[in-house]
Amino acid sequence: MNLSGPAPSSPIAKVYVTELQDGNTVVTYFICSEKQIQTTAQNKPFLRLKLRDASGELAAIMFDVQPEVAESFARGDVVKVEGMYGIDDRFGPQLKIRRIRPVARNEYDEDALVPVSPVDQAELADRLHTLVESVAQPHLRALLERATDASREPGASFSVAPAAVRNHHAYLRGLLEHSLIVAEVAGGVAGNFPTVNRDLVLAGALLHDVGKTRSYSLDLLQPGLTDEGRLQGEIVVGHQIVTDLIAEDPHFPPELGGQLRHIILAHHGMKEKGSPVVPATREAVIVHYCDDMTAQIGAIDFAEHSAPRGERWVYSRMLETMVYLPPADGDGPDPR
Amino acid sequence: MNLSGPAPSSPIAKVYVTELQDGNTVVTYFICSEKQIQTTAQNKPFLRLKLRDASGELAAIMFDVQPEVAESFARGDVVKVEGMYGIDDRFGPQLKIRRIRPVARNEYDEDALVPVSPVDQAELADRLHTLVESVAQPHLRALLERATDASREPGASFSVAPAAVRNHHAYLRGLLEHSLIVAEVAGGVAGNFPTVNRDLVLAGALLHDVGKTRSYSLDLLQPGLTDEGRLQGEIVVGHQIVTDLIAEDPHFPPELGGQLRHIILAHHGMKEKGSPVVPATREAVIVHYCDDMTAQIGAIDFAEHSAPRGERWVYSRMLETMVYLPPADGDGPDPR
Amino acid sequence: MNLSGPAPSSPIAKVYVTELQDGNTVVTYFICSEKQIQTTAQNKPFLRLKLRDASGELAAIMFDVQPEVAESFARGDVVKVEGMYGIDDRFGPQLKIRRIRPVARNEYDEDALVPVSPVDQAELADRLHTLVESVAQPHLRALLERATDASREPGASFSVAPAAVRNHHAYLRGLLEHSLIVAEVAGGVAGNFPTVNRDLVLAGALLHDVGKTRSYSLDLLQPGLTDEGRLQGEIVVGHQIVTDLIAEDPHFPPELGGQLRHIILAHHGMKEKGSPVVPATREAVIVHYCDDMTAQIGAIDFAEHSAPRGERWVYSRMLETMVYLPPADGDGPDPR
Amino acid sequence: MNLSGPAPSSPIAKVYVTELQDGNTVVTYFICSEKQIQTTAQNKPFLRLKLRDASGELAAIMFDVQPEVAESFARGDVVKVEGMYGIDDRFGPQLKIRRIRPVARNEYDEDALVPVSPVDQAELADRLHTLVESVAQPHLRALLERATDASREPGASFSVAPAAVRNHHAYLRGLLEHSLIVAEVAGGVAGNFPTVNRDLVLAGALLHDVGKTRSYSLDLLQPGLTDEGRLQGEIVVGHQIVTDLIAEDPHFPPELGGQLRHIILAHHGMKEKGSPVVPATREAVIVHYCDDMTAQIGAIDFAEHSAPRGERWVYSRMLETMVYLPPADGDGPDPR
Amino acid sequence: MNLSGPAPSSPIAKVYVTELQDGNTVVTYFICSEKQIQTTAQNKPFLRLKLRDASGELAAIMFDVQPEVAESFARGDVVKVEGMYGIDDRFGPQLKIRRIRPVARNEYDEDALVPVSPVDQAELADRLHTLVESVAQPHLRALLERATDASREPGASFSVAPAAVRNHHAYLRGLLEHSLIVAEVAGGVAGNFPTVNRDLVLAGALLHDVGKTRSYSLDLLQPGLTDEGRLQGEIVVGHQIVTDLIAEDPHFPPELGGQLRHIILAHHGMKEKGSPVVPATREAVIVHYCDDMTAQIGAIDFAEHSAPRGERWVYSRMLETMVYLPPADGDGPDPR
Amino acid sequence: MNLSGPAPSSPIAKVYVTELQDGNTVVTYFICSEKQIQTTAQNKPFLRLKLRDASGELAAIMFDVQPEVAESFARGDVVKVEGMYGIDDRFGPQLKIRRIRPVARNEYDEDALVPVSPVDQAELADRLHTLVESVAQPHLRALLERATDASREPGASFSVAPAAVRNHHAYLRGLLEHSLIVAEVAGGVAGNFPTVNRDLVLAGALLHDVGKTRSYSLDLLQPGLTDEGRLQGEIVVGHQIVTDLIAEDPHFPPELGGQLRHIILAHHGMKEKGSPVVPATREAVIVHYCDDMTAQIGAIDFAEHSAPRGERWVYSRMLETMVYLPPADGDGPDPR
């Protein structure tokens, strides 16, 4: 971001992509998620942009742009725009920009720009606390307290990271939300089996995706994978984080540590899906299946939210099949 | 079974395969699970048998056998034998039979011959009752009461059938035991998701394998598949049973019925594993995963029980991998 | 369809999509297969439509449309349009509509709107009759007569249903045409093998896809799958139809019935392709292969018809390969 | 074969493996299909053999054997044996040999030693003649006459080669028998499709496996693959034979030749099964499916012949599934 | 190409696609790689073309075109054009043509039109000579000299053919360049193993793709597969070429010939990838792996060249994964 | 091992399994690789053992064994035996033991008991030194010197570990031998490509299997996998070792470290084979292919050594195919 002069001191009012109406005059801020400088037949530069906020994305165009303005911001920067929103009969919705400039950090609210978990932050913290406190084995509980301590890594990232680069759970605190539901389901399942170590299941479930804290970009304005995430893979990164945490406790029972690390490696369930070892313990079996099962239920929820109301069938790209959305009558709960 | 003369009136004392000691003289009854008539070099017939009871199987041989005795019973019959048990230094444990005859139904206790679920019958009935009573949707509850009524089909078979032809759950009431654990786990999972119809999950989980009542031989003395089980497959037979039960209730909501039948068809999760459709609803996803997950945990339990005590690693044929049996110290529950 | 006022009494002249020439003025009727209401930059609504008849599909646009006109019909309705057909130098062929209204059932000929099997209806009926009459086993012949009786289900639908939702055989009477060719080929093959039950092959071949009568929408104006087709799958639906038909004849030999139902279930040949059981009889082997073989030959015919004349190679999406169209000289029959 | 002295002049009487009875004294000849020289604890050599004829195979043992006798024949030689046949109560049927020697070609009937097609040789020749004569295209008919001319290659081998190394069709003239049934079925199928070149189908079907004439050992006393068969593969060898035959006719239409050669290469249907190209013409589709279909029917016939009479289910190793053998009542033809 | 009148005698100046600037007036020649004749709403024909040269491809449009001009050339012809190059603000770069005509062979330089190996022709010839001369086995060396003799086939085509239809190595002499690097790498690998026949490895590596000389169109103005390439496949065509070359030398050791032909057939390594046999010798193993390994390294080079400078990650379609381009500091060689 | 009394002071003479002759009296030592205590029909205990040394394995039996002798040693111990070697005519070669006792460490030569790399230890050290010295990048060379320092881990284990649990390379120093050949081949390949970092290839090749030092039991008397090897997998263990080594050098360039660790993880080439990430760099491509290629060549060498001399074809279990062993004439090098 290339800012000249002192930063303006007052926040800009936010208007969301999903609130725009045909013919509106717009003055607000967005992330610039795509930027192209093109030239007209008359050899004049113009800008084609994509602008994004927490609610969605919008195409924009700016003619008669001064070169210094065109160069004043980059893809990924937050910009203030003034313009006219309209729906072109050939090209669809578009913002015609008259003025644009990059903005300072104090002029905008980042929450307005990046998607956030629909679950309240305090609720997530409560659920996490409840789960960790329910662990009886002292070394496992201490490990979980250490791992989820938001004042240091990996806990600091764990409390904010997304659970995916796009679509489902690709929002702030998505990782925490996903880890909690897997742990809650897996902990419940463990209770049905006397031969299963519930503490180990909870620890494995809460930490199964902890590698995403270093594998995914934490800057949600510019989502993507890190070099480490691509070269080593999120499973191995997570295994390394857990191995290092265990090493901090010299009295951690080594066999218990071996089993916990195994759960991280095995949680994709099969080699074809990137797990270098397959589940060899009951606890690894449970974490793997609860991860897959909650992810598929989440995929159906996601498909439902993007379907027109009343539609009975919608395609889920994640499941690679049509899913059925039952009508909300006496047969079952209203899914929406 | 070919019995001549009046049936003896008093029961025979039972000695189990696992109780035999080298050098014991044995007088008791078994199922004849294999039978071959062979001829010595001196052209005399002799018998090679396998004898089985609820505790295990035993090789047996009988020389100097009269043809009418050799023909007096068939594979699958229950026989009384007298003989000497010993451990041959080349051929291992063997019963040398001196006398053999088929026995009448009132001479033996069938429970001594076929393996039975380790879970008490009354406990199974209680758990079933609890689950069915917890279903709120009236048509689903009525359907479950009808389906599990032990005084008529399919409930009569459902309460006794095995869940497999061999190994894991291949015992009396194995189907009921398996269906209950799947339903208990799946019902618990359903409680974590507000968008999931728990009643439908419970019904689907309890009935997912109901086709085994007609696909597996109920005569555990002669386990195997029925013609219907082989030609139509247990999934389609189960779907047909549930379709017929739904048709008995003219007011059963048709969309609810469609979803329940879908759960039966989809419970193997993918076409490669024999489901003609893949799960298209949250409820079908849950039943499928809980079936697979509990089966894998059961496979590890089974592998553990057949491993020498203290062994840390044992191969599971069902999982096609080595499984790890953690030591029973402070790290976790003693698995045995 | 939302019709106001009395329905006009006389049929409208039909002009087909494939007959239109650049610059034509058009007055005729189509199915509206897609409909979008959009707004110009001046905030005026306009319509973008797709119009379809038995010969093909056409893009259309209507400006200056009154809201009550825009709302007077829905996707799937038959509409009368007046307008000008032209080929835009950027956007290709397009109909500019001046007037549009929904039409009554007596104003149009449905045959002009939906694609129909190229084989004459009487010829199809004759071939069906010949095949059914050739069956010697009395129960099988009676079952086929019952199943193909066009005055009741499933015969009523069987005589009109398409064999696919799109492309190959996705037309009126496509299911009957496809079932006949499979049965004719399979019956011929059966004649080469003394161990094969030809009557059973014919019955299985004629009914192998009978589940499509309830799995596919019969309204070819709005093609697609039914809820039952999606949730239970066409194979299981077909199996259920045949099971119910067999149950109507209390003397139907049960082993013969089991074999016929097996053919329906097994006709996709492998589990990966949706058959819950694999062929276990010679007759099931023959029906499966003759279905696949005739479908592939049909796919090559289809690819050829959509290829420019004289082209030697054309890609077949169904076969996922290039197919070769030999030249029509002395080497072989002219394929066109 | 190592023969000393003049060859005896008179043939030896043949007794078949399947005719032997416990206690029989045996004087006849077999192929020695396995041979091991072992040593007793007393350091004396003895022979363990497998002996084979057209009807089956037999274990044999010879004690007190002179070294020069033990060395006088090799695996694969035909030997005359004298001995006693008995059924040992531990080791099953066995021939105890007293005398053994290799025999000359004029002492035995090769037909007694190798399995032969159950179809009469004259019938095979007739059916071949009928098919070849039915081909109208002159170059294709000439090619087939040339290829099947039993006085030269490949026809000489084509008329005697087996169609497999073991099991199904692994007998003299098995290749011809198999090629005929594929061609008869495929020719019949071709008749159902006006766009199919029946002459090309017949030629492709008759020659699809012609590569086996050079890929399989023609010495049925020592079945196996040739070096060429292993290094180049029977499909490519067959393609080369057909390419060479076409090259003999300078007027053979090149496009027709390309299509015929394509059928040979593509007849396994997919790359995973060894076809370097997949079927790209209707004729290649037909030959591929008719080959697979007739092979599977043959596998069921083979499984049935090796099953105990009355058995309803038998495992087919080739199909990797249980196959169903229907009872021979009014429901269908008696399969045996 | 349809030329009327005497061919012009002087060459046309070449301007490359990559040299064009917005607003340029252009007079030069290209291959016409796509051609469509369309009609305006005013019923006037106009042309939409794609024009290509060795540097890239360009969209073009010509209005007010006379029918005889529009018909004077076909797709694949070389044309001279005069027009104006500009960048449309909606449709991107485009050439507006004022005049167009097909040109004679002596008016243009084919090298300016087709992409060429970046490696110098003399260097390729030197490296080929060095490799062939290093072969000690006389029959193999003679075979290689014969096969690579550029004055006759297959050497004439081998010295110019591309190694692919598109992308990587899809340029003049690409086949030779690829064959050389595979042979150099494989020859080096062979030197590490005393049990490997290096001469055989070199011969197999140089000839592994020789089938492309007849399977790919040599006219790079119209790239694609030949009928033979599609119907028989490049592997079998290559095998046939090598078989014919071996047959020219009556003293060629047959076992050596069998091994060389095996390398050609097996070089894709597995049946799924089109090899009808899998590698059965050390030499075939080496050629297969060196082919795959050099192709993957080439794919990363190709991905790097098409990535923006400084980019660390770029998607490779051939490898179906993101590849990492390390920074050019002390850690490694600068990859560009 | 359970030794009572003072250890004998003098070494026992070694006689190898492969040197035994029928009738030999034997006094020597072996590892006891299997041990069973059984009981005769007369209720007397006897021992069944497997005895092993560097040359092979042998069955043994001991009757009339005192319980305290039977209990004096365990599976995996080294024992001194006295007995008689003979070849039973039914049960094959067997040692009848008269006396047995466990032996002390100073009584035997471990080299006589475990298989050792056929390559001389000094030669291995030289080749390793040469490779490491050839690395120019200072951090990589220092890392290799540290990693292969035989006075500390992982070098201490790296210099002695086997490369497999059984068969090919399952001998002392097998890991070093395998790592060297991969590095030599890969280093040579790297030299052909200017864009490849040869130093990185050498480091990755030498260390690709370093995880085996902790994943395989180093006690070759009791080969197998460690708990860590099974639960975490040798690839992840190796990655962890290299990560820790890199961390010892605070100036190690982080991007170089990331690439080296990637090579370790990716060296199996695909997820199905246990690599959690696929190769994303040229260097990872080379190490992966050179590992696979040398392993396959080694498998053919191994198959050849276990084949009877003169055999042309032998089955390789590792390659799952028959491999061809060419004759040793002028066509190529004598492979033996």
Side-chain angles (χ1 to χ4, degrees), chain F residues 1 19 66 111 114 118-119 138 144 158 213 229 231 279 294-295 303 327:
Chain F
M1 189 160 64
E19 295 170 343
Q66 299 302 318
D111 284 1
V114 298
V119 187
L144 289 175
F158 186 68
T213 57
L231 284 174
T294 58

Side-chain angles (χ1 to χ4, degrees), chain D residues 31-317:
Chain D
I31 308 165
C32 172
S33 53
E34 272 185 43
K35 177 187 173 191
Q36 284 180 287
I37 305 184
Q38 298 183 344
T39 320
T40 66
Q42 291 73 39
N43 215 11
K44 291 191 180 167
F46 67 97
L47 289 173
R48 288 189 173 285
L49 308 175
K50 289 268 174 77
L51 302 175
R52 198 155 58 77
D53 63 22
S55 78
E57 202 170 42
L58 175 70
I61 195 160
M62 182 176 189
F63 291 102
D64 301 317
V65 64
Q66 299 303 315
E68 63 273 20
V69 171
E71 297 297 337
S72 71
F73 63 96
R75 176 169 166 273
D77 285 348
V78 180
V79 290
K80 179 180 179 186
V81 294
E82 298 181 27
M84 167 72 76
Y85 177 79
I87 300 174
D88 186 278
D89 66 336
R90 293 228 187 271
F91 301 98
Q94 196 178 49
L95 181 67
K96 291 210 177 65
I97 303 176
R98 278 188 308 259
R99 301 180 59 180
I100 190 167
R101 68 165 173 83
V103 297
R105 185 61 195 87
N106 61 348
E107 290 181 284
Y108 66 90
D109 176 11
E110 193 176 297
D111 285 0
L113 292 176
V114 297
V116 179
S117 166
V119 187
D120 183 71
Q121 186 168 9
E123 184 197 322
L124 292 172
D126 270 4
R127 287 163 58 189
L128 176 60
H129 186 256
T130 303
L131 281 170
V132 171
E133 288 310 290
S134 78
V135 171
Q137 213 286 345
H139 297 281
L140 281 174
R141 191 174 56 237
L143 179 86
L144 288 175
E145 286 165 351
R146 164 69 184 85
T148 61
D149 173 356
S151 69
R152 43 197 303 219
E153 290 301 336
S157 296
F158 186 69
S159 64
V160 297
V165 170
R166 68 181 63 80
N167 296 336
H168 180 45
H169 280 163
Y171 46 65
L172 203 71
R173 294 193 285 276
L175 176 59
L176 179 55
E177 183 193 330
H178 168 67
S179 303
L180 286 172
I181 187 70
V182 175
E184 288 162 350
V185 170
V189 169
N192 289 279
F193 298 95
T195 54
V196 166
N197 183 336
R198 181 184 170 276
D199 288 349
L200 189 53
V201 166
L202 282 183
L206 278 171
L207 299 178
H208 76 283
D209 267 350
V210 73
K212 290 183 177 174
T213 57
R214 285 190 347 217
S215 303
Y216 288 0
S217 163
L218 295 181
D219 180 1
L220 286 178
L221 305 188
Q222 304 207 60
L225 290 169
T226 62
D227 281 5
E228 188 179 19
R230 280 208 172 100
L231 284 174
Q232 324 298 329
E234 72 192 46
I235 281 192
V236 169
V237 173
H239 180 262
Q240 206 159 350
I241 291 172
V242 173
T243 300
D244 290 347
L245 289 172
I246 288 172
E248 292 182 14
D249 173 358
H251 303 297
F252 200 98
E255 281 176 334
L256 189 61
Q259 293 175 63
L260 177 58
R261 292 154 63 215
H262 173 75
I263 295 176
I264 312 298
L265 289 179
H267 85 265
H268 281 191
M270 50 206 288
K271 293 186 171 178
E272 290 86 322
K273 298 201 173 154
S275 272
V277 290
V278 296
T281 63
R282 296 173 186 88
E283 293 78 13
V285 165
I286 290 175
V287 172
H288 156 54
Y289 277 113
C290 291
D291 182 26
D292 265 25
M293 178 165 49
T294 58
Q296 291 205 6
I297 293 171
I300 298 180
D301 289 344
F302 184 80
E304 181 166 73
H305 289 133
S306 57
R309 187 176 177 88
E311 207 64 52
R312 290 278 73 82
W313 289 94
V314 57
Y315 185 77
S316 163
R317 241 189 320 224

Side-chain angles (χ1 to χ4, degrees), chain B residues 150-161:
Chain B
S151 69
R152 42 199 300 219
E153 290 300 338
S157 297
F158 186 68
S159 63
V160 296

Side-chain angles (χ1 to χ4, degrees), chain F residues 135 140-141 143-144 183 198-208 242 260 263-264 287:
Chain F
V135 172
L140 282 174
R141 190 173 58 236
L143 179 86
L144 289 175
R198 181 183 171 277
D199 288 348
L200 189 53
V201 166
L202 281 183
L206 278 171
L207 299 178
H208 76 283
V242 173
L260 177 59
I263 296 176
I264 311 297
V287 172

Side-chain angles (χ1 to χ4, degrees), chain C residues 137 140 181 184-185 188-189 192-198 200 253-257 259 278-283 285-290 292-294 296-298 300-302 304 312-313 319-327 329-336, chain D residues 137 140 181 184-185 188-189 192-198 200 253-257 259 278-283 285-290 292-294 296-298 300-302 304 312-313 319-327 329-336:
Chain C
Q137 214 285 344
L140 282 174
I181 187 69
E184 287 161 350
V185 170
V189 169
N192 288 279
F193 298 96
T195 54
V196 166
N197 183 336
R198 182 184 171 277
L200 190 54
E255 281 176 334
L256 189 61
Q259 293 174 66
V278 297
T281 63
R282 296 172 186 90
E283 292 78 13
V285 165
I286 291 175
V287 172
H288 156 54
Y289 277 113
C290 290
D292 265 24
M293 179 165 50
T294 58
Q296 292 205 5
I297 294 171
I300 298 180
D301 290 345
F302 183 80
E304 182 167 70
R312 291 278 73 82
W313 290 94
L319 303 189
E320 296 183 338
T321 191
M322 300 292 287
V323 298
Y324 178 69
L325 308 174
D329 57 13
D331 296 355
D334 183 347
R336 271 175 289 190
Chain D
Q137 213 286 345
L140 281 174
I181 187 70
E184 288 162 350
V185 170
V189 169
N192 289 279
F193 298 95
T195 54
V196 166
N197 183 336
R198 181 184 170 276
L200 189 53
E255 281 176 334
L256 189 61
Q259 293 175 63
V278 296
T281 63
R282 296 173 186 88
E283 293 78 13
V285 165
I286 290 175
V287 172
H288 156 54
Y289 277 113
C290 291
D292 265 25
M293 178 165 49
T294 58
Q296 291 205 6
I297 293 171
I300 298 180
D301 289 344
F302 184 80
E304 181 166 73
R312 290 278 73 82
W313 289 94
L319 303 190
E320 296 182 337
T321 191
M322 300 293 287
V323 297
Y324 178 70
L325 308 174
D329 55 15
D331 296 357
D334 184 346
R336 269 176 289 191

